[in-house]
Amino acid sequence: MSTESTPAVIVTFIRHGESTDNLLSIWAGWKDAPLSNHGMNQAKAVGQSLSKVPFAAIYASPLKRALWTGQAVQEAQPDPKPPLTVSPLLREQHFGVAEGHPWQWNQDPNLTLEEHFARDIWPVLHERHQKFPEGESLDDLFERAKKAIDELIMPHVWKAAREGKKGVHIAVASHGLCISELIPALLIKDESGIHPGDKYRGLQNTAWTRVTVDVKGLKEGEPLEFPDSDPPKLKVRVTDVNRHEHLDNVKRQKGGIGRAGYDPKQQDIRAFFGGAKVESGTAAPEEVEGRSESNARDEAEVDIN
């Protein structure tokens, strides 16, 4: 790729590895479950797959499943390693009092949402403004995502423009629903201002999606001068969606080890690969690598209005 066609900034959004809550049919937004052992292997695999991308900076949610994924990406980078910055703006959607409760697909048409909640029923919500008590709606999450883009990503764009640089790579380790709002929040920075809709949901664990941001008129080695009040126009494009080929050779450890919580203090490698047994008569469910029970609302087939 020529320097003329190289964008100013390339942002790689990475969903976290499998968490222990991903293996349960529960609402898990700010509930801080760790990666499973399998999830840590996924994180290491995506880190290795991106090891030749020279990230200038890595940002991560403070929730363990995304933070550990971001750290795995950082660890795979060559020295000197890029800084990793933790931001609460990158946390998953908050499900309020529904956190940790089982979700169900369908709502009872004879009950209001409030009556569902009163009966300890936490169904999938289909409208962007709807939320669980004390939680966030998708509209709320989008507002937070816009703030994250403004505070974490756009400074790199304007810095690159003012320094005449192109090809600045940034990594963001976050969560499925948050990423599905971060991407549109960045895309509306395009000079068209068009929102792409709810088309970036259903990401697999550690799958990555890439967005490029170019500054109109920017040439490599030629700094641009402009006031903050009148920045140059941008061209923002999605180039890769839900890339997960790095998972092709990631296999779940047998005997329930892969589904157990990852312990970063674990020193005995045997604990990861042997010892546990599956109960008699228990058949392992068929699994699609990178897919899990996860949050119902994170699924691409959920109709959101």
Side-chain angles (χ1 to χ4, degrees):
M1 181 180 290
S2 69
T3 56
E4 288 298 318
S5 60
T6 301
V9 173
I10 302 102
V11 185
T12 302
F13 295 97
I14 307 163
R15 189 187 176 197
H16 61 79
E18 177 192 271
S19 73
T20 53
D21 275 350
N22 279 157
L23 298 165
L24 307 172
S25 299
I26 63 173
W27 292 106
W30 289 11
K31 188 173 180 290
D32 199 10
L35 291 177
S36 65
N37 285 324
H38 185 61
M40 179 54 75
N41 286 340
Q42 293 174 326
K44 291 177 179 178
V46 73
Q48 286 298 320
S49 74
L50 296 173
S51 62
K52 294 183 180 180
V53 179
F55 290 121
I58 301 172
Y59 294 93
S61 158
L63 298 172
K64 287 192 286 285
R65 57 194 188 273
L67 176 58
W68 293 358
T69 301
Q71 289 171 336
V73 172
Q74 182 192 42
E75 181 60 29
Q77 290 281 294
D79 293 325
K81 299 186 186 304
L84 188 153
T85 302
V86 175
S87 173
L89 294 173
L90 299 175
R91 287 181 294 189
E92 183 58 293
Q93 182 179 1
H94 187 210
F95 298 117
V97 298
E99 294 272 350
H101 290 276
W103 52 258
Q104 70 174 41
W105 280 110
N106 300 312
Q107 298 179 20
D108 186 332
N110 298 313
L111 299 176
T112 66
L113 271 180
E114 290 70 23
E115 288 170 335
H116 280 85
F117 304 158
R119 299 185 185 193
D120 198 28
I121 300 173
W122 309 97
V124 176
L125 306 178
H126 292 274
E127 297 183 30
R128 289 189 57 88
H129 70 274
Q130 293 177 322
K131 67 178 78 175
F132 297 117
E134 302 177 23
E136 290 179 305
S137 67
L138 284 175
D139 286 339
D140 295 332
L141 182 58
F142 182 58
E143 291 303 312
R144 174 154 61 82
K146 288 194 294 184
K147 187 175 182 182
I149 294 299
D150 284 341
E151 294 187 10
L152 306 179
I153 304 303
M154 296 312 296
H156 289 282
V157 175
W158 304 135
K159 184 174 186 289
R162 288 189 166 106
E163 294 181 355
K165 289 185 177 180
K166 287 201 167 195
V168 177
H169 290 264
I170 306 298
V172 177
S174 185
H175 309 262
L177 288 168
C178 189
I179 291 173
S180 74
E181 300 296 324
L182 286 165
I183 294 170
L186 183 51
L187 286 173
I188 61 174
K189 297 292 185 182
D190 182 79
E191 62 178 336
S192 69
I194 296 174
H195 191 293
D198 294 308
K199 60 187 293 185
Y200 296 107
R201 292 183 293 119
L203 303 178
Q204 294 179 236
N205 287 118
T206 66
W208 55 269
T209 297
R210 184 164 289 163
V211 181
T212 62
V213 184
D214 206 8
V215 180
K216 290 233 169 176
L218 177 63
K219 296 181 180 179
E220 183 76 36
E222 298 182 15
L224 291 179
E225 295 184 7
F226 53 89
D228 291 341
S229 59
D230 188 24
K233 296 185 183 302
L234 303 177
K235 181 178 180 180
V236 187
R237 298 288 183 269
V238 175
T239 61
D240 299 86
V241 179
N242 202 31
R243 293 281 299 272
H244 57 273
E245 57 267 28
H246 58 275
L247 296 177
D248 289 349
N249 295 318
V250 179
K251 306 300 181 185
R252 188 180 299 278
Q253 302 96 315
K254 302 296 184 181
I257 298 299
R259 301 171 72 90
Y262 173 72
D263 181 0
K265 298 179 182 178
Q266 178 60 256
Q267 298 298 316
D268 189 350
I269 194 65
R270 291 173 298 176
F272 290 93
F273 297 102
K277 296 181 179 179
V278 178
E279 294 182 10
S280 177
T282 301
E286 184 177 348
E287 296 175 332
V288 176
E289 177 53 44
R291 301 299 296 170
S292 54
E293 291 295 330
S294 192
N295 291 320
R297 201 168 186 175
D298 194 16
E299 301 302 319
E301 63 267 21
V302 173
D303 184 24
I304 300 293
N305 299 313

